[in-house]
Amino acid sequence: MCREIRDLKEESNMHKLLKACVISAGMLMPGVALAQVDYPVDTIRLFVPANPGGGTDAGARLFAEYFQKHSDATVAIVNQASGGGVVAAQTVVNGAKDGSDLFFFHAALHTANLFGQSPFSWDSFKPLATSSEINEVYAVRADAPFSTIAELVAYAQEHPDELNVGSQLGGTTQVKGEALNAAAGGKMRIVDAGTESDRITTLLGGQVEVISMSVANAKQYVADGQMKVLALLNENPDPLAPEFPTTVSQGVDISLPLVMTIYGPIDVDEAVVTAFDKTIAEMRNDPDFAAALAKQSQAPALRGPAEAAAFLEKEQSMIAGLLGK
Amino acid sequence: MFELFLGSVVHLLEPQILILMALGVTVGVVFGALPGLSATMALAILLPVTFAMKPDAGIAMLVATYIGGVSGGLVAATLLRIPGTPSSIATTFDGYPLAQKGEAIKALATGMVASAVGGLLGLAVLVAFAPIIARYAIQFGAAEYTSLTIAALMLVVVLSESNLVKGLIAAVLGLSISTIGFAPIGSAQRFSFGSVDLLAGVSIIPFMVGLFAISQLLREFTEPSLRVKSRLNLGGAGIKVSEFIGNIGNMIRSSAIGIGIGVLPGIGGSAANLVAYGAARSASKDPEAFGKGSVEGIYSAESANNASVGGALLPLLTLGIPGDGVTAILIGGFTVHGLQPGPLLFRNEPGIIATIYAAFLLATIALLVLQLATIKMFPRVLLIPRHYLMPVLALLMVVGVYVSQYRLFEVWLMLGFGGVGYVLERYGFPLGPMVLGFVLGTIFETNLRRALMFSKGDWSVFLTRPISGVLLLGAVLLLVYSVTQIVRKRRRETVRPI
């Protein structure tokens, strides 16, 4: 047993030596960027509980690309969508603690746990970073008799139980629906309308009156004259859509951008945490990262390990509060 | 639009882009042909490759891969009775028996031509009516989906050939398996027995590969005397013009079903081929020939699955709404190339829309040419000794199913369903209804619950919403028709001996 550990150590020393050689060789070459942080392992498997193509996957792929640029590790994305993230979470919770198995997700981790759909919460992991965020809005059909949150609330008071808020029950959008309903004194009904694509068709098809959806999609439907945006779910306006008024400016105290978070196993090596701290600092100074994110309608939200943990604690308690749990 | 379309066709004829598209089609066909690997995976793998390309080249390649992936299932389904993708399940019903009769070339050629016709019909509808159909597709709410799935499940009766009871048992089994894991709405855990792996539910890939491919391997091993390889005739005639003309009506109906199912987000091509096959069987003058190598069956299944591609692209381009897993990845590809699929795409980027249409057309033609040019090669697969071929296939299935979710549990599921499929077939339970029940189960449950939520628990919505009412009526008529057919047949059979 002891010998094995020593062998492993020797092996990793060898790796470091090799890396040092490669890096010093790099230094001799002109024009090679050298701000690369030394990461404890060569390859990271980043488990993403979403299928390729969506916002979460895009966020993970961009994070991977820029993490590779600023560290000496290679990041491979592993899409494990089944069970709404439970399977991917389990893989990482039981994964290697040398930093080679990491988990990428957002606030749906809190909701799944609070609704009893997953035994894993944010503190089952070691938070390592947050990378980017996607803003969402409350949208209604263009012909709706309300254009602001206040008008919606007034309408809901006059017509109790008539307005349907389309959410994905058990997901983060249910929290958003509950928050809006709380503002309206509970006079609306929260119904299931599935994923964002489903919610859009359900809204346009006239089966629900309010949905939450991403800024990128909302901009298109507003420009096409099919929808109106009541509010952006954030305290600060979205730089990509400054025309949407925020919830906070309309007196509704809910700020819930979808923040992409990277976790490691709870007992991950300290070296991984240090490496993340340094790499995130490097990524913060890279203007290309923000530009690449903007193309996917995401904004940078870089936080290192300590900041990320503080943020997640706040995010989780806010969601738990809204759900009364 | 038409002028732009022609312009794009000419533009895509650049040798560089043509090569990329041919590559895309080939990768798609290979992924489609191998059980466990799917069009979704082919796109996921090629997507990062297109990042560095110019948008039109990248998008053309992705569209070509999609079309190749949907069609690739044909060859393995016909020759080995192993559907490479869920969209070619119904092809095994008649393609394989026909190939076993020594008409492999005819079976393949029929499928290839039907694919091309279905693809082109789908494209024509997409080009001509996209914005109009999209407006109506939105009106399709939860109540309508519920009634549609009921009507489609009624086709189970038609699909279950002679034995209605066994067909229904298989369908209910499929429905039950789709309920494993979390309920689609809320957080009820069902049949998970405390296992996190089962909480995730059963996904279509291990289910389908196990049921159709693994069970076929088991059959090959346990019944070695069934086929005598050396006498297999690899030649055989191609397609007959008279048959093609006779099946024009069949192809139009099947393509219409394919487009219709493709347009509705969520159902996708895996159901289209089975539903079209069922419809073709009930409309046929010779339903008894179905399942025994009927050309009609091949025409319907293969035209429906390719037509569903045109259908699925419709809500994607007009509304930015993906119909299935493949189109969801395509959306990702489009956004990477700076396109935001949605209601504005048509107005702001007509050039890109024209490029997509042109790529669709060229890929369909390229696919037909490639397949017909290589048609003589495929049946040689049957000459490979089984002790080489089967282990290779088994290996590919295990790898393919593993990479679909990167977890070993899926492989165990696949092997389990292989055993289930083998036993069911042995005792005469048809597998088609089981797959349809599985695919439609979740859609039915989700929409039933949503419809009742929207209506505050009032069941009458299913009858009062007009489209839903008509669909339910259709379902009842289908059931009555099938039952009377069966009763009449029984009567004939009991009368005859006297």
Side-chain angles (χ1 to χ4, degrees), chain B residues 95-272:
Chain B
Y96 181 74
L98 190 60
Q100 288 300 299
K101 284 183 195 162
E103 305 210 54
I105 295 282
K106 179 178 179 175
L108 286 173
T110 305
M112 290 167 187
V113 170
S115 294
V117 171
L120 293 178
L121 285 175
L123 176 66
V125 170
L126 179 65
V127 173
F129 303 113
I132 304 167
I133 293 184
R135 219 168 298 146
Y136 284 103
I138 286 181
Q139 299 304 322
F140 223 80
E144 285 76 14
Y145 269 101
T146 314
S147 304
L148 178 73
T149 45
I150 292 174
L153 280 172
M154 279 308 133
L155 278 170
V156 162
V157 183
V158 182
L159 271 177
S160 51
E161 293 150 34
S162 46
N163 199 326
L164 181 65
V165 177
K166 283 185 175 172
L168 284 175
I169 291 175
V172 169
L173 204 58
L175 275 171
S176 327
I177 291 169
S178 76
T179 62
I180 293 176
F182 282 120
I185 299 175
S187 52
Q189 302 179 5
R190 305 182 296 196
F191 307 114
S192 65
F193 306 103
S195 141
V196 172
D197 283 320
L198 276 175
L199 271 185
V202 176
S203 51
I204 177 100
I205 290 191
F207 179 77
M208 201 250 342
V209 175
L211 221 48
F212 287 91
I214 296 288
S215 67
Q216 177 66 9
L217 290 192
L218 289 175
R219 248 188 318 273
E220 296 272 345
F221 282 120
T222 51
E223 295 158 23
S225 59
L226 266 185
R227 255 169 29 192
V228 185
K229 282 288 154 61
S230 51
R231 273 196 286 138
L232 196 70
N233 178 10
L234 292 188
I239 44 171
K240 284 193 204 134
V241 178
S242 61
E243 273 175 1
F244 180 81
I245 293 172
N247 275 293
I248 287 179
N250 177 11
M251 280 190 282
I252 291 177
R253 180 189 52 244
S254 303
S255 301
I257 292 174
I259 296 165
I261 289 183
V263 164
L264 299 173
I267 302 188
S270 35

Side-chain angles (χ1 to χ4, degrees), chain A residues 106-115 122 170-176 178-179 233 253-259 263 311-325:
Chain A
H106 45 65
L109 182 72
H110 309 315
T111 51
N113 180 245
L114 289 166
F115 285 117
W122 73 275
T172 54
T173 54
Q174 183 180 348
V175 179
K176 289 161 189 165
E178 300 283 2
L233 281 93
D253 191 22
I254 167 170
S255 173
L256 265 179
L258 209 54
V259 178
Y263 302 91
F311 166 79
L312 287 167
E313 189 174 7
K314 217 179 102 194
E315 187 183 56
Q316 199 273 349
S317 66
M318 174 176 185
I319 288 174
L322 281 169
L323 294 174
K325 300 203 181 197

Side-chain angles (χ1 to χ4, degrees), chain A residues 117 189 192 207 221 224, chain B residues 182 319 347 450 453-454:
Chain A
Q117 289 178 356
R189 303 170 65 234
D192 185 82
Q207 309 223 352
Y221 283 94
D224 196 43
Chain B
F182 282 120
L319 301 168
R347 198 186 301 162
R450 268 187 209 157
M453 251 189 231
F454 295 160

Side-chain angles (χ1 to χ4, degrees), chain A residues 157-194:
Chain A
Q157 305 281 2
E158 280 167 38
H159 306 82
D161 263 4
E162 198 178 279
L163 294 180
N164 287 333
V165 184
S167 301
Q168 186 165 29
L169 295 190
T172 54
T173 54
Q174 183 180 348
V175 179
K176 289 161 189 165
E178 300 283 2
L180 189 62
N181 199 18
K187 301 284 186 189
M188 298 189 290
R189 303 170 65 234
I190 312 285
V191 296
D192 185 82

Side-chain angles (χ1 to χ4, degrees), chain B residues 75-94:
Chain B
V75 175
T78 305
L79 298 178
L80 301 170
R81 200 172 180 258
I82 292 175
T85 56
S87 50
S88 50
I89 289 171
T91 312
T92 60
F93 298 164
D94 281 306

